[in-house]
Amino acid sequence: MATSQPSAFPDDEAARLRSLRAFEVLPALAEPVFDEFVALTARIFSLPISLISVVEEGEVFYPANQGLPGHYQQPRVEALCSTAIEQAQAVIYHDLALESYPYIPPEALQAAHSKRLRFYAGALLRLPDQHPLGTLCIIDRAPRSFTAPEQRILEMLAALVSRTIAVRHLCRTQPEGGQARWTSLSAELQEEVQSLNALVRYLFARHGTQVPVPADFLKQVEGRLHDLQELLDGFRL
């Protein structure tokens, strides 16, 4: 398929960057619960790498990182995650050696090749005002299929991460008791995510790993993700 180069930045880029500052996104993602989310995401899809990215004006930061030690940031033009921001939707590349649609800047393609990355799927993370802040992504060094049900689970995980950022911000804006409430909720969330991670590990140990991930396995995971969503949606100060 022929490709054309899109605009370097989305039309609402200035407003998006203001929202990143207002919601204190990078400090928020330093919370341990987000490391648990990327560890869970990598395990669900049996992939070595999962990242949370924050797409800033000129750089992309990776405050939660499973599988790429030392990879804390890179120029925006070199980051695959910036493609999702520019496209305003999830992006999937089954084989980066063969695919370049949606459009990938040559600098990003070269950076991926230098790290021997072949598969990439990134789901948008959104702020409460719906501006995209970055992605929850999964990466492999081998080509990989990726089904619609798998994409649904990745986007559910991204929605949970987005909601957790929003709840943290809400807590921190409360003059009394908000930080204590966040500390309690964050600990509960970590425990629930760790429990789901343990379940996934058990199921794979019992049944083996398969690509794509079987539908019955994803259904069990989806049920537990709904429980996490209910925990976050039930939050009250």
Side-chain angles (χ1 to χ4, degrees):
M1 178 179 295
T3 63
S4 59
Q5 181 173 352
S7 171
F9 299 105
D11 293 339
D12 64 347
E13 180 68 2
R16 189 187 74 82
L17 293 171
R18 286 195 297 270
S19 290
L20 285 179
R21 313 289 185 272
F23 287 98
E24 302 178 303
V25 168
L26 280 172
L29 289 167
E31 300 273 1
V33 66
F34 298 104
D35 291 321
E36 299 292 346
F37 272 120
V38 295
L40 172 64
T41 303
R43 188 173 298 280
I44 287 172
F45 297 103
S46 298
L47 288 175
I49 302 166
S50 179
L51 309 169
I52 289 175
S53 71
V54 177
V55 180
E56 278 279 7
E57 183 174 9
E59 299 283 320
V60 175
F61 295 87
Y62 303 99
N65 180 330
Q66 172 85 17
L68 277 181
H71 187 59
Y72 303 121
Q73 68 185 86
Q74 68 184 135
R76 180 169 174 170
V77 71
E78 295 180 4
L80 291 169
C81 296
S82 65
T83 305
I85 298 294
E86 290 151 13
Q87 296 288 325
Q89 63 182 7
V91 294
I92 300 167
Y93 301 102
H94 301 92
D95 188 350
L96 287 161
L98 301 175
E99 298 175 76
S100 59
Y101 183 83
Y103 173 82
I104 306 172
E107 298 91 341
L109 202 55
Q110 181 177 355
H113 290 166
S114 71
K115 295 181 177 65
R116 301 188 302 280
L117 307 181
R118 297 287 296 274
F119 168 81
Y120 175 92
L124 283 177
L125 301 173
R126 293 189 180 275
L127 294 162
D129 60 10
Q130 293 306 299
H131 282 116
L133 69 93
T135 67
L136 174 65
C137 63
I138 47 177
I139 300 170
D140 201 358
R141 290 190 168 90
R144 189 191 193 280
S145 62
F146 200 64
T147 64
E150 288 178 307
Q151 182 175 345
R152 172 177 167 78
I153 294 298
L154 181 61
E155 292 186 346
M156 288 183 68
L157 287 159
L160 287 169
V161 170
S162 299
R163 176 60 178 159
T164 303
I165 294 170
V167 168
R168 178 189 181 274
H169 178 75
L170 178 61
C171 287
R172 290 175 59 84
T173 59
Q174 301 304 306
E176 296 183 7
Q179 184 58 49
R181 185 71 180 92
W182 164 251
T183 300
S184 174
L185 179 61
S186 177
E188 187 175 359
L189 278 172
Q190 286 186 69
E191 184 176 340
E192 291 297 325
V193 174
Q194 289 169 354
S195 175
L196 178 50
N197 204 333
L199 172 64
V200 172
R201 186 167 55 247
Y202 165 76
L203 291 172
F204 279 141
R206 183 174 179 182
H207 301 292
T209 60
Q210 299 179 50
V211 176
V213 181
D216 57 345
F217 175 90
L218 292 175
K219 186 175 181 180
Q220 292 184 68
V221 169
E222 183 171 350
R224 294 291 295 272
L225 294 181
H226 281 304
D227 292 342
L228 283 170
Q229 187 66 56
E230 289 178 6
L231 175 62
L232 287 162
D233 288 347
F235 168 78
R236 297 289 185 275
L237 281 169

